[in-house]
Amino acid sequence: MSSKITLSVFKADVGGFVGHGSVHPDMLKKAEDTLGQDGMDLLIDFFVTHVGDDINLVLTHREGVDAENIHTLVWNTFLKCTEVAKTLKMYGAGQDLLSHGFSGNIKGMGPGIAEMEFEERPSEPVIIFMADKTEPGAWNFPLYKIFADPFNTIGLVIDPKMHEGFSFEVLDLIEDKSVKFSCPEELYDLLIFLGASNRYVVRSVFTKNKEIAAVSSTQKMNQMAGRYVGKDDPVLIVRCQSGLPAVGEVLEPFANPHLVTGWMRGSHYGPIIPVSQKQAVPTRFDGPPRVIAMGFQLANGRLIGPQDLFADVAFDRAREKALEIADYIRQLGPFEPHRLPLDEMEYTTMPLVMERLKNRFK
Ligand code: 13P
Ligand code: 13P
Ligand code: MG
Ligand code: MG
C-alpha cells in the first residue's frame, strides 16, 4: 500500500434513459450501493454522477493506477447497473461492456478510464471534466490552452512556479504509440499533432519536475471493437493551483465553445456546451455535445465536493454562443462539415448504396 493517493475516474454507458439522453436514477443508486458495500475496505471515498447516458464513477484509494481489485470492483459495478438497465429495458443496455471475459483490467474492455497517483499536497484542488456525445480528442484544444497558451493561462507568464512550462504526452490512436513534447520549446511540433484530434490525443500532462498535472481517457471503442458500438465519451482529470494552472485558468477554454466530433449517431461536428450537471441531458439531435466540470478539494483522499463549476452565470454566454453555432451548423443537414467525412463516421450506408448502384457508374 502506498502513501500516495490514487484518483480514478471510470465511465460507461450501460443503458440510456430515454434513448441516449440520460441515466435512470435506479442505475445510479445501484452504482452507489455497490461501491458503498463492495468498496468499503478498498476505497477512501467515491462519487457517482452522470453526463447524458454515461455513468461516471470517481474513486479515491491507495491501490495505485491499474489496480486489479479496483478495476474488478468497477467492472462488477457496471455489470450490476447493466442488470438494472436490462430490467427497465433501457436503451442499449450494456452498450459499453464489450465482453464478459474480464480478467482484472478494464483497459480495452469498453469503459473509459483516467487514473493518476500523487502525493496529496497541503491543499489539493482537482477538476474532473466529463463529456457526452464526443470523444477523447475533444480535450486537445482545452488542454493546449490550459497548459501552453499564455493568452489563456496568465500563470505561464507571471507565476515563477509555472514559467518553465509543461510536457505533453500525445497518443497516436491508430499506431498505439505515444510521444512526449516539452513546451514551450516544442509548441509548434506539438500543434501539428494536436490539431488532428481524431487521431492524436493528449494522454497526460506533466510539470517539468515530472509531477502529474492532467490525465485523459483515451479509449477508442470503434477501433477496439472493429465496429460501431458507441462513441467513447471521454473524461479528464486536472490538478490545479500552486504551480499548476488556477481553477479559473483550467475552466477558461470552455468559455469559447470549440467544435468536436460526435453528436447524432457519432457522425457530426458540433459545439461542446459547458453545462451544469442538471443540464447534462442532451436532447436536440441527441446533443449538442456537452461537458461538465466537477471540482473537489481532496482531504487525505476524501472527496470534498463537488462544486458544479459550469453552473456559474459566467458561462451563460458560452452556452448561448454554442446554441447559435448549433443552429447554424444544423442547417447543413447531411452535408460536410456538419456531417463527418466518410472515413470518420461511426456508421454509413455508403457500401450498400455503392453496391446497388455500381453498374450505373460509367
Ligand atoms: P439505432 O436506433 O439503430 O440504435 O441507431 C440510432 C442511434 O441512436 C445511434 O446510437
Ligand atoms: P452515446 O455514445 O452517448 O450512446 O450516443 C450515441 C449516439 O449515436 C447518439 O445519437
Ligand atoms: Mg448511449
Ligand atoms: Mg454517451
Side-chain angles (χ1 to χ4, degrees):
M1 202 187 278
S2 158
S3 73
K4 292 182 174 176
I5 299 286
T6 310
L7 176 56
S8 304
V9 184
F10 297 84
K11 85 94 224 175
D13 173 352
V14 292
F17 172 52
V18 173
H20 293 282
S22 187
V23 175
H24 194 280
D26 289 3
M27 293 166 64
L28 297 174
K29 173 136 197 330
K30 178 58 84 180
E32 275 171 3
D33 291 349
T34 309
L35 292 175
Q37 283 157 26
D38 302 355
M40 205 185 319
D41 301 326
L42 208 50
L43 302 177
I44 305 173
D45 205 353
F46 68 88
F47 173 73
V48 175
T49 189
H50 78 94
V51 178
D53 58 5
D54 294 292
I55 298 179
N56 292 265
L57 312 176
V58 180
L59 314 180
T60 53
H61 53 90
R62 294 185 192 276
E63 306 293 315
V65 167
D66 279 335
E68 186 172 336
N69 47 9
I70 296 291
H71 281 227
T72 305
L73 170 68
V74 168
W75 184 255
N76 290 336
T77 305
F78 285 139
L79 281 183
K80 286 193 178 172
C81 295
T82 302
E83 284 167 25
V84 178
K86 285 186 172 154
T87 312
L88 300 175
K89 296 186 69 173
M90 291 293 116
Y91 197 70
Q95 173 179 299
D96 278 4
L97 309 185
L98 289 189
S99 133
H100 289 264
F102 177 73
S103 63
N105 194 304
I106 278 186
K107 269 193 196 141
M109 301 295 292
I113 312 160
E115 297 188 281
M116 54 162 75
E117 189 183 27
F118 50 83
E119 209 71 64
E120 190 180 291
R121 295 170 294 167
S123 182
E124 186 66 62
V126 296
I127 301 177
I128 317 233
F129 292 97
M130 311 169 210
D132 188 34
K133 305 297 179 266
T134 183
E135 61 180 348
W139 305 133
N140 280 13
F141 178 78
L143 281 171
Y144 166 74
K145 304 274 284 182
I146 295 165
F147 289 101
D149 178 5
F151 282 75
N152 181 90
T153 299
I154 184 61
L156 293 166
V157 183
I158 63 173
D159 179 353
K161 298 198 291 291
M162 281 173 63
H163 200 67
E164 295 264 282
F166 293 89
S167 299
F168 288 71
E169 184 194 10
V170 176
L171 178 69
D172 177 344
L173 291 169
I174 292 176
E175 297 273 325
D176 197 24
K177 287 180 187 161
S178 72
V179 52
K180 288 202 177 106
F181 296 98
S182 183
C183 293
E185 313 87 272
E186 299 182 302
L187 266 185
Y188 300 157
D189 291 341
L190 174 74
L191 281 172
I192 187 69
F193 293 99
L194 289 202
S197 53
N198 280 327
R199 171 157 183 182
Y200 299 97
V201 298
V202 180
R203 179 148 70 187
S204 51
V205 181
F206 292 86
T207 67
K208 293 287 168 81
N209 294 329
K210 301 197 168 30
E211 268 283 304
I212 185 80
V215 172
S216 80
S217 62
T218 46
Q219 286 66 36
K220 188 97 176 150
M221 291 207 310
N222 47 349
Q223 238 123 291
M224 280 159 29
R227 63 186 172 84
Y228 178 79
V229 286
K231 268 261 177 252
D232 24 5
D233 302 314
V235 296
L236 168 70
I237 308 174
V238 184
R239 297 169 75 198
C240 309
Q241 308 285 158
S242 307
L244 298 172
V247 168
E249 290 169 333
V250 175
L251 299 175
E252 179 66 7
F254 296 93
N256 193 15
H258 58 294
L259 293 171
V260 298
T261 57
W263 207 344
M264 173 56 76
R265 296 171 188 267
S267 302
H268 293 81
Y269 274 105
I272 187 158
I273 316 186
V275 291
S276 68
Q277 198 281 324
K278 279 203 173 63
Q279 294 175 320
V281 181
T283 55
R284 182 183 177 188
F285 202 53
D286 285 0
R290 54 201 75 195
V291 55
I292 66 169
M294 294 279 125
F296 296 93
Q297 291 286 153
L298 295 190
N300 303 312
R302 278 173 57 223
L303 291 159
I304 311 302
Q307 273 285 355
D308 190 347
L309 295 164
F310 287 145
D312 184 2
V313 290
F315 285 93
D316 283 354
R317 272 222 273 282
R319 289 186 266 274
E320 274 166 35
K321 188 171 182 183
L323 295 181
E324 264 171 47
I325 297 167
D327 282 341
Y328 169 75
I329 204 163
R330 275 298 301 129
Q331 292 175 58
L332 300 181
F335 286 79
E336 296 177 22
H338 182 28
R339 203 216 65 204
L340 294 184
L342 286 176
D343 57 336
E344 286 175 29
M345 284 191 292
E346 294 282 353
Y347 55 85
T348 174
T349 49
M350 187 59 121
L352 263 169
V353 177
M354 261 304 195
E355 178 58 26
R356 188 158 45 77
L357 299 186
K358 65 174 187 258
N359 295 329
R360 283 165 54 182
F361 279 84
K362 305 291 176 210

